[in-house]
Amino acid sequence: FAVVGASRKGGKFGNIVLQCLDGLGYTMYAVHPGADQVGGVESYRSYADLPEPVNAAFIAVAPAKCAAAVWAAMLLSTSHPN
């Protein structure tokens, strides 16, 4: 899983999703352009920086950034053979 917009602030949707998935044992990646770590999970600045393809992504960004986040996920998912 990738959690795009994983927030460093507790109570924000991206932070809640990240914490819930972390407790379930999934391999997951936080995507946050300004953080090296979010909630104890290593964070990557963009989809392109992820170490491997992901099967699903939670998008938790402001509405103005949502289309770009979805577009980036679509582009990377079509460029990987999985």
Side-chain angles (χ1 to χ4, degrees):
F1 286 98
V3 180
V4 181
S7 178
R8 293 178 280 194
K9 296 178 183 176
K12 295 278 201 163
F13 182 70
N15 185 279
I16 293 168
V17 169
L18 188 70
Q19 296 306 315
C20 287
L21 290 175
D22 189 34
L24 296 174
Y26 289 105
T27 297
M28 62 180 182
Y29 303 102
V31 178
H32 187 294
D36 293 328
Q37 194 176 74
V38 176
V41 176
E42 185 173 3
S43 181
Y44 298 86
R45 299 200 185 282
S46 71
Y47 280 113
D49 295 328
L50 294 176
E52 63 184 355
V54 294
N55 293 325
F58 285 92
I59 311 275
V61 297
K65 296 179 180 181
C66 190
V70 171
W71 183 251
M74 288 175 24
L75 287 176
L76 281 174
S77 69
T78 58
S79 68
H80 293 292
N82 307 18

